[in-house]
């Protein structure tokens, strides 16, 4: 029944286990959260039992697909979550479109990414580039 709330500040995690593990709900309304990892096992960038909702701030998560969870559709800020195959550490990520932009270069290998930034609108398309691959994706 635990809750994790992030409303501001900057948090960086190089995770060997679950990045954020809320045994209840996770909410984010501001700040910047970057989670790099985990890369193996039954662990996840986000691990929650009830819900994860983002209404503001930057969220960048990369890691293993084993137990991948992402933000709920009840989130009011747009989110893009993708399975990107096996990417090597140092393979850069950028997101652009509308009023949203971010870039990040993970220090660990990754298979999934979860991105959300201020200005991202649900239902709008954004360009995501992973290394030399690029595509247009709709935020949910």
């Amino acid at each position: 029944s635990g809750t994790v709330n992030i409303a501001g500040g900057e948090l960086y995690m190089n995770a060997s286990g679950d990045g954020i593990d809320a045994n209840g709900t996770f909410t984010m309304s501001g700040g910047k959260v970057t989670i790099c990892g985990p890369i193996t096992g039954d662990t996840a960038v986000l691990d929650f039992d009830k819900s994860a909702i983002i209404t503001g701030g930057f969220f960048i998560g990369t890691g293993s697909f084993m137990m991948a969870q992402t933000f709920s559709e009840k989130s009011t800020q747009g989110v893009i979550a993708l399975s990107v195959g096996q990417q090597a550490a140092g393979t850069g990520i950028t997101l652009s479109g509308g009023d949203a932009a971010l870039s990040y270069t993970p220090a660990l290998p990754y298979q999934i990414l979860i991105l959300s930034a201020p200005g991202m609108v649900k239902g709008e398309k954004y360009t995501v580039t992973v290394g030399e691959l690029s595509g247009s994706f709709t935020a949910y």
Side-chain angles (χ1 to χ4, degrees):
S1 63
T3 300
V4 175
N5 295 309
I6 297 176
E10 190 165 335
L11 178 63
Y12 173 84
M13 287 183 243
N14 186 314
S16 59
D18 292 330
I20 291 182
D21 190 350
N23 291 325
T25 60
F26 168 54
T27 59
M28 183 171 168
S29 59
K32 181 178 181 182
V33 173
T34 306
I35 301 173
C36 183
I39 60 172
T40 61
D42 58 349
T43 55
V45 171
L46 290 176
D47 183 9
F48 55 88
D49 292 340
K50 294 183 180 176
S51 67
I53 296 173
I54 187 167
T55 59
F58 287 92
F59 185 92
I60 304 166
T62 58
S64 167
F65 69 88
M66 294 295 289
M67 290 183 54
Q69 289 182 288
T70 187
F71 288 99
S72 162
E73 290 190 20
K74 292 182 180 180
S75 296
T76 57
Q77 180 169 284
V79 175
I80 293 178
L82 301 172
S83 174
V84 294
Q86 186 66 43
Q87 300 298 320
T91 303
I93 299 164
T94 60
L95 175 134
S96 61
D99 292 333
L102 61 81
S103 64
Y104 173 60
T105 302
L108 297 172
Y110 60 97
Q111 298 163 328
I112 62 138
L113 57 86
I114 304 167
L115 306 173
S116 187
M120 283 184 74
V121 177
K122 294 168 82 167
E124 296 293 320
K125 289 192 177 276
Y126 297 90
T127 300
V128 176
T129 302
V130 176
E132 295 183 13
L133 302 173
S134 185
S136 179
F137 301 92
T138 303
Y140 71 89

